[in-house]
Amino acid sequence: MAKYIRLFQDCLGLNNAVSPTKGKFNTDTGAGELSVAVNVNILDDGTVERRNGITATAETDNVESIWTGSNGTFIVKNNCICKLNNDFTSTPIVAVTSHEVSYCDVQDATYFCNGTEQGIIKGTTVIPWTFDMATQYAGPSTVKTFSSPPVAKHIDLYNGRMYLAVDSLLFFSEPFGYSMYDYARGYFWFENTITGVKSITDGIYVYTTNAVYFLNGANPEEMQLIKVSDYPLLPGTLVRVTSDEINVQISTYSELHNNVVIWTAQNGIYIASNNGYIKNITAGRLWLPPVTSGCAVYYNRRYIVFLNK
């Protein structure tokens, strides 16, 4: 008598790293892996559902560097940083020559830079991001020489200091002096160009063209540099989310505190938490074609990434 085999019923996820004939399949439960998954969502319970269609808004434009923070949503359109309105129209704020913009919120202000220009957005007004020792410094006598911030490509805020990536240097500001920089002492040097910076609870993840590092510690004087991956970030795929939106155990010894970061590398999708703990959550399951960059968002408890060949 032929053995009863349950046909495909539940999905164990996508696995295109092995031959379709070698994917996992349980003949008793009907749970198996997919070799291809086009325009579908795989839910936590193994259900496969079609993705919703796409409806164009009244305002449809080619935009870049989309970013949402506590002061609203900003986009780059028609060579300008614009503030996105609720009806999907946009208000031009400042002209830029480079469209790859990095943003960071500090209370009611949004700092931005793109490797060529920088500034501070308040409402829909841009003010210079500069420092004047004679009029802005009110501390004790010091031998330090403070300067305006260097024009960076990537920025982030951590523990009361602004961190700015310029080529292979990661500059940091004076405590709560986001426009004050000591070029002689206030930086970390990396062997390769920095491609991204993201802080979490107890340190900063720094991404370069050949590796990923974690600066562990509260202040620059006590930070320890830890190399956590030999697989570099695919530029544009880095996001930070709150830990209550994530249900992944990264390490037996790690806990999720406040924020985690997610990114894509050539060998898979990574998630990282405190203490420099990272995990390739698609290890052995996801094969990517050669790509150079991408764009990622975290929406409705899903990490969505688009890749450029």
Side-chain angles (χ1 to χ4, degrees):
M1 183 176 179
K3 180 182 178 182
Y4 172 79
I5 298 177
R6 187 184 294 274
L7 297 178
F8 182 85
Q9 181 169 318
D10 292 322
C11 180
L12 298 177
L14 174 66
N15 187 345
N16 69 349
V18 300
S19 167
T21 61
K22 294 183 179 180
K24 294 180 181 179
F25 182 76
N26 189 314
T27 57
D28 295 325
T29 64
E33 295 177 328
L34 297 179
S35 296
V36 178
V38 179
N39 287 331
V40 296
N41 293 322
I42 301 171
L43 306 184
D44 292 341
D45 62 0
T47 302
V48 180
E49 66 174 17
R50 287 185 180 273
R51 286 181 177 165
N52 294 329
I54 299 174
T55 302
T57 66
E59 298 286 333
T60 303
D61 292 289
N62 293 322
V63 302
E64 301 175 80
S65 295
I66 304 173
W67 185 82
T68 297
S70 58
N71 297 316
T73 296
F74 297 92
I75 61 175
V76 174
K77 183 180 77 170
N78 298 331
N79 299 319
C80 283
I81 295 178
C82 305
K83 192 165 188 177
L84 192 65
N85 304 317
N86 291 335
D87 61 355
F88 296 106
T89 61
S90 57
T91 303
I93 295 176
V94 60
V96 291
T97 57
S98 173
H99 296 180
E100 296 180 8
V101 179
S102 178
Y103 309 87
C104 182
D105 277 351
V106 181
Q107 298 178 345
D108 63 343
T110 300
Y111 292 66
F112 73 89
C113 65
N114 61 4
T116 305
E117 296 108 355
Q118 62 188 18
I120 305 171
I121 302 172
K122 287 195 172 184
T124 56
T125 302
V126 174
I127 62 176
W129 187 6
T130 58
F131 176 74
D132 182 359
M133 187 77 172
T135 61
Q136 292 179 263
Y137 182 72
S141 298
T142 178
V143 296
K144 291 183 178 180
T145 299
F146 297 123
S147 302
S148 296
V151 182
K153 191 69 179 288
H154 306 281
I155 58 174
D156 205 8
L157 183 69
Y158 174 65
N159 200 30
R161 296 178 188 260
M162 192 74 77
Y163 287 78
L164 288 74
V166 181
D167 296 326
S168 60
L169 299 177
L170 183 64
F171 291 93
F172 50 85
S173 72
E174 292 298 297
F176 302 102
Y178 308 126
S179 298
M180 298 170 56
Y181 292 82
D182 178 5
Y183 286 4
R185 306 170 184 84
Y187 65 88
F188 293 99
W189 176 81
F190 292 83
E191 293 183 354
N192 297 89
T193 301
I194 298 171
T195 58
V197 179
K198 273 288 181 288
S199 65
I200 58 167
T201 308
D202 65 347
I204 307 170
Y205 283 96
V206 182
Y207 304 81
T208 74
T209 53
N210 75 326
V212 180
Y213 299 88
F214 184 63
L215 281 170
N216 188 22
N219 300 300
E221 297 79 10
E222 62 187 49
M223 282 180 166
Q224 295 180 330
L225 183 64
I226 306 169
K227 186 177 183 179
V228 295
S229 176
D230 289 316
Y231 290 91
L233 164 79
L234 290 176
T237 66
L238 179 61
V239 300
R240 178 174 51 214
V241 301
T242 57
S243 58
D244 58 4
E245 296 183 277
I246 299 294
N247 185 26
V248 175
Q249 180 65 38
I250 299 177
S251 165
T252 305
Y253 305 101
S254 70
E255 300 176 5
L256 300 183
H257 293 294
N258 299 330
N259 295 317
V260 297
V261 289
I262 310 173
W263 70 91
T264 301
Q266 189 61 61
N267 70 327
I269 297 173
Y270 285 81
I271 184 170
S273 68
N274 57 304
N275 296 318
Y277 287 116
I278 73 169
K279 183 176 184 178
N280 183 344
I281 59 175
T282 61
R285 297 172 57 90
L286 182 64
W287 176 86
L288 297 177
V291 293
T292 58
S293 62
C295 178
V297 296
Y298 195 82
Y299 174 72
N300 198 22
R301 299 181 69 86
R302 288 188 176 93
Y303 173 71
I304 304 170
V305 60
F306 304 87
L307 300 176
N308 301 319
K309 292 185 178 180

